[in-house]
Amino acid sequence: MSDAVIRMAMVGGGPGSFIGPVHRMAAELDGRIRLVAGAFSRDEAKSKAAATGYGIDPARAHGDYRRMLAAEAARPDGAQFVAIVTPNHLHFPVAKAALEAGFSVLSDKPATATLEEAEDLARVVADTGRLYGLTYTYTGYPLVREARAIVRRGDLGAIRKVVVEYSQGWLAQAVEKTDNAQAAWRADPAQSGLGGCIGDIGVHAFNAAEFVSGLAVTRLNADLNSLVPGRRLDDDCNILLRFGEDVPGVLVASQVAAGDRNGLRLRVYGTRGGLDWCHERPDVLTLNWLDRPTQTLHAAAPYLGPAGRGPARLPTGHPEGFIEAFANIYRDFAAAIASGGDLEGTQVPTIRDGLRGMAFVARAVAANGAGWVQL
């Protein structure tokens, strides 16, 4: 694998962005990737101001992503891949344009705003042969990867039940009607897509459940609600799931759980025991055994397997968190570009995960309150 630095362009992430700086910090954490260009805002002046803030040449910042792609494609030292950190409605057109212009793409989730767009994007990925990945961030945590390995080894026995919850309280009031830009686009169907809470954090919960359990959801029974008066998209989700042949599951996602912060929690139960991981204590994985004492695993500990030990950057007891989890996905993506390979065999979420996430959102929204439906 080459040690050359991989060059990245970014679309989105301009002034006021939360997730743009997170992507940039994560991408550059290991020194394998460098941000060199971007279309950070539709406003040319704001885009160039963002470039200055990011420490890159303002001449390589543009107000239009198509112009940025053309300029970078023409440079011998142009960007090699594009990170997409925009609101959801731009994920598809930017990804399509970038792939067709010869760039690989690493996109924030969800893959697109609709299932139809995700299906079109899958065809573009296949036709161009470029790498396409998604930053389902929680798959980057070392102990989430260790949990996945534990399930695959069969340590828990046959899987019997999966429970995943993701609770936030920041939308418990109609803050989208204030000057909160992050809430405004998430509550706007034109920018967010057909799902609100389910498309913002529900897809994270869905992806984490499938990623760790190794099972695919086959059926669902959805109860989606808009609990804040006047809100046009769902802000609370309660969904019964069936994994594989007939493994039951529960997914609860809410952004109106007043007082909650970022409460992603995953539990997987087998015939021999269960595992329990919580995002607010990401450096601990609890294994509850049927016939022996509870076992607590710590991040970066020498007794972990390669899946859990490999992504860690610090010795055990030194907490790593959200930025580092993002960075693990970026590091794996950069390695695939440098090697000229693909994403098979890595743990980077791909267009397949993007398609499944959008199918989950589309079916849950369409069949809300209608009982059991096939995914």
Side-chain angles (χ1 to χ4, degrees):
M1 182 178 67
S2 170
D3 291 329
V5 173
I6 303 298
R7 300 178 299 278
M8 177 180 88
M10 182 186 291
V11 178
S17 170
F18 154 66
I19 206 66
V22 169
H23 277 264
R24 185 278 180 93
M25 286 186 283
E28 296 191 340
L29 183 62
D30 296 307
R32 294 297 319 281
I33 297 171
R34 182 165 56 92
L35 178 65
V36 297
F40 304 108
S41 170
R42 289 191 183 95
D43 184 309
E44 187 94 12
K46 289 182 178 180
S47 189
K48 291 187 180 298
T52 300
Y54 285 133
I56 68 171
D57 182 358
R60 296 178 74 172
H62 304 268
D64 182 274
Y65 67 85
R66 296 175 187 85
R67 193 161 68 248
M68 185 272 290
L69 294 173
E72 290 300 307
R75 294 177 65 107
D77 62 346
Q80 294 162 275
F81 81 98
V82 175
I84 302 174
V85 301
T86 66
N88 301 349
H89 71 295
L90 291 173
H91 289 186
F92 172 67
V94 176
K96 182 175 186 292
L99 291 163
E100 291 178 342
F103 298 91
S104 292
V105 169
L106 191 58
S107 175
D108 204 40
K109 59 77 218 164
T112 57
T114 69
L115 177 58
E116 292 74 19
E117 286 182 346
E119 291 168 341
D120 287 346
L121 182 57
R123 286 189 283 270
V124 174
V125 173
D127 290 345
T128 61
R130 297 294 174 177
L131 300 183
Y132 175 89
L134 281 160
T135 52
Y136 278 114
T137 322
Y138 305 102
T139 64
Y141 278 99
L143 286 182
V144 171
R145 294 184 175 187
E146 180 74 10
R148 173 184 168 102
I150 286 169
V151 172
R152 276 158 178 68
R153 283 200 308 264
D155 294 6
L156 302 183
I159 301 305
R160 282 181 167 170
K161 186 168 185 172
V162 180
V163 179
V164 62
E165 57 191 83
Y166 199 157
S167 61
Q168 299 176 337
W170 73 291
L171 293 179
Q173 296 179 327
V175 293
E176 65 269 26
K177 296 178 181 177
T178 67
D179 60 354
N180 189 320
Q182 297 298 323
W185 77 256
R186 285 174 170 82
D188 179 5
Q191 297 184 76
S192 184
L194 72 165
C197 174
I198 193 171
D200 191 22
I201 63 174
V203 289
H204 270 306
F206 171 80
N207 176 260
E210 289 199 333
F211 181 82
V212 173
S213 72
L215 302 173
V217 173
T218 53
R219 290 180 288 155
L220 59 86
N221 186 336
D223 173 29
L224 275 54
N225 304 283
S226 297
L227 298 180
V228 172
R231 186 164 284 162
R232 291 180 289 170
L233 295 172
D234 63 278
D235 52 23
D236 182 81
C237 313
N238 307 278
I239 305 176
L240 297 176
L241 305 171
R242 283 291 186 273
F243 292 81
E245 292 296 321
D246 207 30
V247 174
V250 179
L251 186 152
V252 176
S254 181
Q255 292 178 308
V256 296
D260 281 6
R261 293 173 294 274
N262 201 54
L264 175 62
R265 184 182 181 189
L266 175 65
R267 284 164 285 175
V268 179
Y269 300 97
T271 52
R272 299 175 190 155
L275 62 80
D276 189 344
W277 181 83
C278 174
H279 178 247
E280 294 187 351
R281 286 196 69 198
D283 56 341
V284 172
L285 175 64
T286 303
L287 302 176
N288 294 305
W289 300 108
L290 183 65
D291 56 358
R292 60 185 189 271
T294 291
Q295 186 177 9
T296 302
L297 306 183
H298 296 276
Y303 49 72
L304 298 177
R309 204 170 57 248
R313 293 170 179 80
L314 299 173
T316 188
H318 296 72
E320 296 185 40
F322 193 67
I323 299 294
E324 290 85 355
F326 252 111
N328 286 332
I329 297 173
Y330 269 98
R331 184 167 62 182
D332 293 346
F333 193 77
I337 292 176
S339 68
D342 55 32
L343 297 177
E344 295 299 323
T346 75
Q347 299 197 56
V348 176
T350 67
I351 189 60
R352 290 193 299 272
D353 301 284
L355 270 171
R356 286 198 60 76
M358 288 313 304
F360 166 70
V361 172
R363 292 298 285 157
V365 171
N368 183 27
W372 287 97
V373 296
Q374 295 291 324
L375 178 60

